[in-house]
Amino acid sequence: MTARTIGRLAAAAAVGIVVALVGVTPAHADTVRDYQYWLADYGFTTAWNTTKGKGVTVAVIDTGVNGNVAELRGVVKGGTDVSGIGTPDGQTPVGDNPDHGTMVASLLAGRGTGAGNGVIGVAPEAELLAVSVAFGVETGATQSNDDQIAEAVHWAVDNGADVINMSLTRNTRDWPESWDDAFMYAFEHDVVVVAAAGNRGSGTSEVGAPATIPGVVAVAGVDKEKNASFDASSQGITLAVAAPSEDLVGVLPDGQYAVWDGTSGAAPLVSGLVALIRAEYPDLDAANVIERLIKTADPHGHEVPSPLYGFGIIDPVPAITAEVEPVAENPLGSLSEWITLHRRADTPVDTEAPEAQEIVPIADPPPPVDVETQTLLPTPWTLAYITLPLSLVAGFGTLAALLGIGAARHTRRAARVREP
C-alpha cells in the first residue's frame, strides 16, 4: 500500500501493519471519522439504533492493545501476556509488529474521542480483553508460538470472552494438536472464534489456520465496491463471510491514525458484528449466532458457500433484525468430528518432532506498482516487443551504414586511380 494522507494523517504499509508518519490533532480527527466508510455503507450506524454491543466481551489475541489511547480508554477490561516479554495486563505492544493489536482493537470497539471525532469501532459499547503474543521475535519463552496461542485461547475463555478475534495465521492449513484442545475448549464454552483469512498480496494464496479450523468464522476481504480484494484477501472453502479489507482507518499505540489494507482489519469488523448479535440476542448460543451472521450475509451474486466470499458479505441490519431459523449445530462444521477422523488412536505416530511454525499477524499486501515509474523501466513485454526489435534494427542499420561508407571510399579510390 502506498502512503496516503487524511488531512494531517499519513500512513505507509509495513509487514503485518502500517505505521503513521504524521499525527492528527483532535481538531482534525473528524476527518478520520469521515474515512470510515464501512460504518454507513454497511449499515452499522443503523444497527446502532438497536444495539452497540453492550455487555459483550471480545478477546483480541494479538500483539497487545494499548488501552490508554483516547479511543480505547475504558474499553480494555483485562488482559494478559503469553509472550514473556510484555506486561501482565497485555497492554504493552510487543513483537516486530507492535502496532497491530491496537489497530485491530480500534476497528472493533473504539469509542471515538468525543463530539463525533476519532475512530469508532463497529461495536463501540463492547469490552475487550487484551492478550499479547510476540510475533516474529525471539522471546526466550519456554513455550512454542503454537503453545502460546493455545494458552491465549484458554485464558480468554476462562476470563469471560464471548468472542475471540484472531487476526493472525500459521501460514499452513493444518494446526498442532495443542490447538485441538484449546479451540474445543472455546467451543464447549459457547465462544465464537473469528479469524482472518490472510492476503494473497503478501503470499498467503490460500486460507491458513486458525481460519481453517472447523467451527471458526473465517473472514475474507472485499474492496470499496464490495468485490473480492485481489491483494487484501485469500480464498478457500472454509471462508464464512467477507468484510471490508481496504482503506481501513485505525489507531496506533501512540494515538496517531493510520490507513491499511488486509483481512487483519476485516476480522475485527466481523467480530464487532458478532458482538452486536450477541448483545441483541443474549440467549442465542454460538452456533445460532454464527447461523444468523452467515444467513443474513449478502451472497453478492454467487452460490454459497463461495471460495471468495464464503456465505456472503456481512450485512449488519438484517443480522440484527431478520428472522432466522434456529440450528442445532455450528453451521461451519464440528472440530470434534474432525479430531475423531484425523487424530484417531490407530493413526501411525510420527516420532520426529514437527518443525515449528511461525505464528504471524496477517501481513499487509505489498505496495502497488507505480505505473508512472514502471513505464521508465524495462519489462518482459517491452524487452521482447520493443527493446530487442529496436536493437536489431539499430544494429542492422549501423552495419548497413558502415558498408555504405566503405563502398563509397572504395569507389573514390578507384576513380583516382583511373585519372590521367
Side-chain angles (χ1 to χ4, degrees):
M1 182 180 66
T2 54
R4 288 161 287 177
T5 59
I6 305 176
R8 294 176 58 198
L9 166 66
V15 177
I17 194 59
V18 294
V19 293
L21 303 180
V22 182
V24 181
T25 62
H28 295 80
D30 56 331
T31 306
V32 175
R33 181 71 62 84
D34 293 340
Y35 269 73
Q36 293 187 265
Y37 64 90
W38 55 91
L39 296 178
D41 291 358
Y42 280 74
F44 279 106
T45 52
T46 302
W48 291 344
N49 292 326
T50 304
T51 176
K52 292 185 177 181
K54 187 175 182 179
V56 177
T57 301
V58 184
V60 177
I61 299 177
D62 215 289
T63 61
V65 177
N66 182 4
N68 291 318
V69 297
E71 280 87 347
L72 295 174
R73 201 163 292 139
V75 177
V76 181
K77 62 178 262 186
T80 192
D81 171 70
V82 297
S83 72
I85 61 174
T87 52
D89 62 2
Q91 295 192 45
T92 298
V94 296
D96 61 356
N97 294 290
D99 299 333
H100 200 267
T102 304
M103 289 281 285
V104 166
S106 66
L107 286 171
L108 199 165
R111 295 182 180 175
T113 57
N117 296 329
V119 171
I120 188 167
V122 295
E125 292 185 0
E127 294 182 315
L128 301 181
L129 296 173
V131 185
S132 57
V133 179
F135 304 117
V137 297
E138 180 59 47
T139 66
T142 57
Q143 293 189 110
S144 67
N145 279 347
D146 287 336
D147 290 339
Q148 288 179 42
I149 294 297
E151 180 185 347
V153 172
H154 273 280
W155 185 92
V157 175
D158 287 342
N159 285 271
D162 303 299
V163 186
I164 295 176
N165 185 88
M166 305 183 78
S167 292
L168 54 90
T169 181
R170 194 172 187 265
N171 284 325
T172 63
R173 286 179 295 178
D174 61 334
W175 58 90
E177 289 193 37
S178 63
W179 288 18
D180 290 353
D181 177 66
F183 283 80
M184 278 301 304
Y185 190 67
F187 298 149
E188 289 168 353
H189 285 78
D190 202 40
V191 178
V192 178
V193 181
V194 178
N199 309 317
R200 279 185 292 265
S202 60
T204 308
S205 59
E206 59 182 358
V207 180
T212 53
I213 295 176
V216 169
V217 180
V219 181
V222 295
D223 59 23
K224 283 188 173 182
E225 286 69 45
K226 297 187 177 181
N227 295 315
S229 177
F230 182 78
D231 283 331
S233 187
S234 290
Q235 63 185 53
I237 60 173
T238 63
L239 291 177
V241 290
S245 65
E246 295 189 9
D247 296 316
L248 303 174
V249 185
V251 183
L252 296 168
D254 61 2
Q256 300 183 73
Y257 302 97
V259 181
W260 99 107
D261 304 334
T263 52
S264 278
L269 299 184
V270 174
S271 292
L273 177 53
V274 171
L276 298 183
I277 296 171
R278 301 215 84 162
E280 180 62 13
Y281 300 95
D283 295 330
L284 282 187
D285 62 12
N288 280 283
V289 169
I290 294 172
E291 176 74 358
R292 177 169 284 276
L293 174 74
I294 66 176
K295 275 297 189 291
T296 57
D298 176 7
H300 200 57
H302 290 252
E303 292 186 5
V304 297
S306 156
L308 289 177
Y309 304 97
F311 288 86
I313 302 170
I314 58 170
D315 199 347
V317 173
I320 301 300
T321 61
E323 292 289 333
V324 178
E325 290 295 318
V327 294
E329 299 177 342
N330 189 325
L332 300 179
S334 168
L335 176 57
S336 176
E337 292 179 3
W338 186 94
I339 293 171
T340 300
L341 179 64
H342 294 277
R343 313 279 198 205
R344 294 176 299 182
D346 58 349
T347 301
V349 177
D350 185 358
T351 57
E352 294 185 6
E355 182 180 351
Q357 296 290 332
E358 182 181 358
I359 312 298
V360 297
I362 301 296
D364 295 324
V369 176
D370 187 331
V371 177
E372 294 181 358
T373 303
Q374 187 183 39
T375 59
L376 302 177
L377 302 174
T379 67
W381 189 89
T382 57
L383 286 172
Y385 296 101
I386 297 178
T387 306
L388 183 58
L390 287 179
S391 299
L392 291 174
V393 170
F396 282 118
T398 302
L399 180 60
L402 291 174
L403 291 173
I405 293 172
R409 289 177 177 174
H410 179 75
T411 301
R412 285 197 294 271
R413 291 194 189 97
R416 291 192 189 101
V417 171
R418 290 196 296 270
E419 289 177 356

